[in-house]
Amino acid sequence: MPKIKGDALILSIYDEDNTAYRPVACLTSNSLNRTVNIIESQTKCAPGEIEKTKGTQTYLLSADGEYQDSTSVGGSTATASHDYLMEAMDNDAITWRMSTGLADTPFYYGTAIISDLSLTGDAGDAVSTFSTTFEGSGLIVTTDPKAGA
């Protein structure tokens, strides 16, 4: 069974102005975490038995990367780094895409709110870094919601 390398999982966000997905620049890691809330109930018909049912689903995307210039003249405006994400954080929601490395399902898509964005520049470091968290809104899908937009 072929293994999928972490390098294949590229996170991008949709640029409404240029109607294209921008890869989040120079990520060192990114992850997708889905959670299903469990609803527990107990009735008098079955004392002592706890029934568990599936409730709502939520998800988080998190990413860490190297800080790159992705908005200034001369910067890499085809990518999205901390400065671009900081502007996008002011929006209500963003559309994201993550490549999967799979042949039959090449991308996951969703809508999210950027809930956390931090920038770190320690003295002596060769490059500053950033971290971000996207909180999902709605379902993760495999069809591009921006196709034909």
Side-chain angles (χ1 to χ4, degrees), residues 13-134:
I13 65 172
Y14 192 75
D15 181 343
E16 297 288 346
D17 295 331
N18 294 312
T19 62
Y21 286 94
R22 278 183 167 211
V24 179
C26 297
L27 290 181
T28 54
S29 68
N30 57 284
S31 63
L32 171 62
N33 182 27
R34 292 179 60 192
T35 304
V36 175
N37 296 317
I38 303 298
I39 300 168
E40 293 183 357
S41 62
Q42 188 174 10
T43 67
K44 293 180 182 181
C45 297
E49 290 183 28
I50 297 175
E51 281 188 35
K52 294 184 180 188
T53 56
K54 182 175 150 183
T56 58
Q57 294 185 42
T58 59
Y59 68 86
L60 291 174
L61 284 153
S62 60
D64 300 301
E66 294 182 351
Y67 183 32
Q68 304 287 318
D69 182 356
S70 61
T71 58
S72 301
V73 173
S76 178
T77 58
T79 61
S81 189
H82 178 272
D83 47 346
Y84 185 85
L85 294 172
M86 192 164 61
E87 291 175 15
M89 193 174 189
D90 293 336
N91 298 333
D92 290 334
I94 53 117
T95 301
W96 59 270
R97 172 179 82 179
M98 189 168 73
S99 56
T100 64
L102 303 173
D104 57 348
T105 309
F107 297 103
Y108 296 138
Y109 300 90
T111 303
I113 296 168
I114 300 174
S115 61
D116 184 64
L117 181 61
S118 63
L119 178 61
T120 304
D122 293 328
D125 282 354
V127 68
S128 298
T129 59
F130 71 94
S131 297
T132 188
T133 302
F134 300 171

